[in-house]
Amino acid sequence: MKLSIIAAIGKNNELGKNNELIWHLKEDMKFFKETTMGHKIIMGRKTFESLPEILPGRKHLVLTRSELEFPKEVEVYHDLKDFLETYKDSDEEIFDIGGEMLYRELLDYADKLYLTEIEAEDKEADAYFPKFNKEEFDKSIIGEHYDEKKNIEYKHVLYKRRSYGKR
Ligand SMILES: NC(=O)c1ccc[n+]([C@@H]2O[C@H](COP(=O)([O-])OP(=O)(O)OC[C@H]3O[C@@H](n4cnc5c(N)ncnc54)[C@H](OP(=O)(O)O)[C@@H]3O)[C@@H](O)[C@H]2O)c1
């Protein structure tokens, strides 16, 4: 498996508030859709519950310790090890789409981080992207945007791991 992380973060690594996204940036939603389309996406139960609907064209993998019922098209894992074991010999790119807990747990396994770095902050955020050692990655800016309505600048940045992680 080639694990990629995709996240939109504020100046202080803000990810979310009250189980919702903080900034809704149109071009960023498009970037998320185009980057993840056709791939498997893994997420924590809370992020799954925050989605407005099942995202078309992407197989959803959800981690939970609960026995909740999920729609039948969702692949459910109760243990992170089972997920890693299932895909260890696969070549496919799988996207970790969050939230905080899933980013923290899978950062060491990720080869690529697609981060939307937003020039804004929110002191009321309650979910944060983990700090990581940028020296372990090659950084390239793949897009720069300005949302006129919200007066917010943001960049799409790709961090590629120089040497592979724990695998
Ligand atoms: N800005 C962004 O790009 C972005 C992306 C995604 C999410 N978010 C935000 O992030 C916030 C949610 O993050 P979060 O950390 O609270 O939740 P989360 O990571 O989405 O989900 C956490 C849940 O996942 C399950 N889980 C996690 N690790 C597990 C493991 N090893 N084994 C079994 N189950 C496991 C548990 O579910 P159970 O409790 O069911 O056991 C846990 O409570 C929201 O505000 C959301 O909007 C932001």
Side-chain angles (χ1 to χ4, degrees):
M1 165 185 52
K2 295 185 178 70
L3 188 78
S4 295
I5 276 178
I6 187 163
I9 65 173
K11 278 188 192 173
N12 312 301
N13 285 15
E14 296 94 328
L15 279 174
K17 187 164 67 176
N18 304 323
N19 211 31
E20 284 180 12
L21 296 177
I22 301 171
W23 301 283
H24 299 261
L25 303 163
K26 211 170 155 219
E27 283 301 314
D28 189 44
M29 296 295 166
K30 203 172 137 203
F31 177 79
F32 175 84
K33 185 176 176 184
E34 285 171 1
T35 309
T36 57
M37 188 51 74
H39 296 285
K40 292 191 169 121
I41 52 178
I42 182 159
M43 70 204 89
R45 188 262 310 164
K46 292 189 183 170
T47 293
F48 178 74
E49 286 180 353
S50 77
L51 297 178
E53 55 180 2
I54 297 259
L55 305 174
R58 287 148 282 186
K59 178 82 183 166
H60 292 42
L61 280 50
V62 176
L63 261 172
T64 179
R65 293 191 175 84
S66 80
E67 295 300 328
L68 289 168
E69 291 258 334
F70 289 87
K72 62 177 183 328
E73 61 267 49
V74 171
E75 205 170 286
V76 179
Y77 289 91
H78 295 290
D79 189 329
L80 194 62
K81 282 198 213 111
D82 292 342
F83 159 70
L84 294 170
E85 186 62 27
T86 303
Y87 290 101
K88 75 175 189 327
D89 296 326
S90 153
D91 273 346
E92 63 193 308
E93 184 175 18
I94 300 181
F95 283 86
D96 172 2
I97 69 158
E100 174 175 339
M101 209 183 270
L102 261 281
Y103 292 139
R104 285 186 192 285
E105 288 176 302
L106 287 175
L107 188 66
D108 285 345
Y109 298 91
D111 305 322
K112 289 182 188 172
L113 316 179
Y114 290 88
L115 297 187
T116 304
E117 297 184 346
I118 304 168
E119 283 298 316
E121 51 193 334
D122 189 332
K123 301 276 181 233
E124 287 166 15
D126 56 15
Y128 290 86
F129 193 80
K131 296 266 184 262
F132 64 99
N133 184 358
K134 292 192 176 170
E135 309 222 324
E136 292 173 6
F137 295 84
D138 288 318
K139 174 179 176 177
S140 51
I141 294 169
I142 54 179
E144 296 191 77
H145 300 275
Y146 172 61
D147 189 303
E148 274 184 26
K149 271 194 201 150
K150 301 199 165 94
N151 188 24
I152 292 178
E153 286 180 28
Y154 57 103
K155 289 187 181 77
H156 289 125
V157 184
L158 173 60
Y159 293 91
K160 266 196 208 166
R161 193 180 286 282
R162 293 187 177 148
S163 62
Y164 287 103
K166 278 184 176 172
R167 291 166 302 134

